[in-house]
Amino acid sequence: MSETKRTIADLDTPALWVDLDILERNTAELARHFRAAGVQWRPHIKGIRVPAIAQKAIHAGAIGVTCATIREAESMVTSGINDILIANQLVGERKISRLTQLHQRADVKVIVDNADNVRELSEAASRQGMAIGVLIDVDTGMNRTGLPPGAAVVELAKAVDQCDGLRFLGLMSWEGHTLAIADAEERAQATTDAIKELLAMADACRAAGLEVAIVSGGGSGTYKTTPFITGMTEIQAGGAIFCDVIYQSWGVETTPCLFVRTIVSSRPAPDRIVIDAGFKTLPVWHEQPRGLNLDAVKRHNTSAEHGILTFERANATVKVGDLLDFVVGYTDSTIILHRKLYGIRQGVVEVVWDVL
């Protein structure tokens, strides 16, 4: 039987699969959303990890992709995507050498928050006779990387602008700290406040005589707010292409389309079932997965190869051998555990993709 003529029922478990019809609707919906907001879309692929899906986003209107690592960027360029932002610091001779090699094939931009790193990038790019685009990383509350808003942001931007081999392009931030706020209105206000700090730094750079072409930020958790703040030029939301349980808790309104198919392997108690997907394939670390047509689940625990689901009351419906599909709890921590992603359309395996 050929791979493309298999049905979802033929997949061995546990299997990671995506509903292609929903995936394509989500992608088109997001592209329309960002066009309506008047911003460019540069989806982050750290939780997508399939170049063909990134290509679908570009076909829908995305200008390129955001990557977390040089390895992701290399894979995207190899797949034919030539506009890349690496939203991370690349430090050290090895990574920077890979960056300069990749820049010979595509427009690959990076972020910085340190003068020594700027000099390191400048020296490597100058030796290769190239000009690498650079954005300053601004910490607007995430307390991870980036310079706090203030004079140091402008000074580093000036340093980039004056360095051989580099082109100052603008600023970037990620307002992800606001996602911890449960109330939607408070979260939106905190997001707006964080972005205003980023935009104030963009204005300060312009006042210093620098051209700010890019102001980048925003993720799936803030996609309802950040794109509509005047001054943002591009949004990095990518996870909403798949959606999942945690994104839904943040108010994402695309439809979940990424699932793990499992089989019930044991019924040790009336209120408990065991499936063949543990934390190696269906983790519960960030958020518990949600079983389709599976009600009254009190708790979902995992060991390496087992998922243990305890119901609120005795359940006589689910039987050993039943196939159960779960919306993943958090895409980023699930997709990396699988080697293959099965693209399903109306029950048929249409495509099988390698996961980076």
Side-chain angles (χ1 to χ4, degrees):
M1 181 181 295
S2 67
E3 191 75 22
T4 55
K5 292 184 179 180
R6 295 167 68 190
T7 70
I8 189 171
D10 296 317
L11 299 182
D12 197 5
T13 59
L16 183 72
W17 67 277
V18 61
D19 186 307
L20 293 173
D21 288 328
I22 300 175
L23 173 76
E24 290 162 4
R25 286 200 300 271
N26 286 349
T27 303
E29 179 181 334
L30 289 166
R32 286 193 298 269
H33 177 79
F34 296 121
R35 279 197 300 270
V39 296
Q40 304 280 12
W41 183 29
R42 185 188 294 279
H44 210 308
I45 56 86
K46 64 183 174 62
I48 297 174
R49 304 194 66 81
V50 174
I53 295 177
Q55 290 282 13
K56 285 179 180 288
I58 289 174
H59 182 73
I63 60 170
V65 298
T66 305
C67 297
T69 67
I70 185 66
R71 179 173 294 180
E72 286 179 358
E74 289 166 341
S75 297
M76 293 297 114
V77 172
T78 298
S79 77
I81 297 172
N82 58 18
D83 192 339
I84 312 282
L85 171 62
I86 301 177
N88 207 343
Q89 287 74 14
L90 294 185
V91 176
E93 182 180 352
R94 184 174 291 106
K95 287 184 175 63
I96 291 176
S97 175
R98 290 167 68 180
L99 171 64
T100 58
Q101 292 175 42
L102 195 60
H103 198 270
Q104 295 173 6
R105 301 165 54 195
D107 179 8
V108 185
K109 297 165 279 289
V110 296
I111 66 170
V112 299
D113 63 3
N114 178 272
D116 290 337
N117 186 213
V118 169
R119 285 190 289 271
E120 190 179 29
L121 288 165
S122 173
E123 291 169 1
S126 296
R127 286 195 297 268
Q128 298 295 327
M130 59 180 54
I132 296 175
V134 173
L135 283 71
I136 308 300
D137 183 10
V138 182
D139 179 11
T140 57
M142 189 72 177
N143 294 330
R144 189 168 61 185
T145 63
L147 292 171
V153 172
V154 179
E155 291 306 309
L156 191 61
K158 288 179 179 178
V160 171
D161 190 59
Q162 293 166 5
C163 278
D164 293 335
L166 303 181
R167 293 180 297 127
F168 172 70
L169 294 179
L171 308 176
M172 192 209 91
S173 186
W174 165 225
E175 65 281 10
H177 61 287
T178 67
L179 299 177
I181 301 171
D183 182 81
E185 291 186 6
E186 292 180 12
R187 184 167 64 245
Q189 185 58 56
T191 298
T192 300
D193 293 342
I195 293 302
K196 284 182 177 178
E197 289 192 286
L198 175 64
L199 295 172
M201 287 296 93
D203 288 341
C205 288
R206 293 186 182 104
L210 299 171
E211 180 181 353
V212 180
I214 298 174
V215 182
S216 185
S220 294
T222 63
Y223 84 119
K224 290 182 180 179
T225 302
T226 302
F228 297 94
I229 302 174
T230 301
M232 294 300 294
T233 69
E234 62 179 49
I235 302 297
Q236 299 177 14
I241 290 175
F242 284 140
C243 199
D244 55 35
V245 176
I246 200 167
Y247 281 127
Q248 287 189 304
S249 75
W250 291 335
V252 173
E253 294 182 352
T254 52
T255 304
C257 62
L258 188 69
F259 309 94
V260 172
R261 170 156 285 212
T262 71
I263 195 167
V264 178
S265 56
S266 178
R267 284 298 324 255
D271 66 342
R272 189 166 76 250
I273 66 172
V274 179
I275 59 175
D276 66 340
F279 62 68
K280 290 183 179 180
T281 48
L282 188 62
V284 300
W285 300 318
H286 292 95
E287 188 66 54
Q288 292 204 340
R290 185 177 69 245
L292 300 184
N293 304 313
L294 196 63
D295 298 325
V297 175
K298 179 180 179 180
R299 188 172 56 253
H300 186 154
N301 295 330
T302 58
S303 55
E305 306 292 352
H306 299 90
I308 305 98
L309 282 78
T310 304
F311 294 98
E312 295 175 356
R313 52 190 174 274
N315 181 309
T317 303
V318 182
K319 297 178 173 55
V320 170
D322 284 352
L323 295 170
L324 300 177
D325 292 303
F326 288 82
V327 178
V328 302
Y330 185 47
T331 299
D332 292 31
S333 59
T334 303
I335 194 168
I336 59 170
L337 303 175
H338 294 260
R339 296 178 180 176
K340 301 290 184 183
L341 173 60
Y342 294 88
I344 308 295
R345 196 182 304 276
Q346 298 179 11
V348 174
V349 180
E350 183 173 298
V351 64
V352 182
W353 289 307
D354 292 327
V355 178
L356 297 182

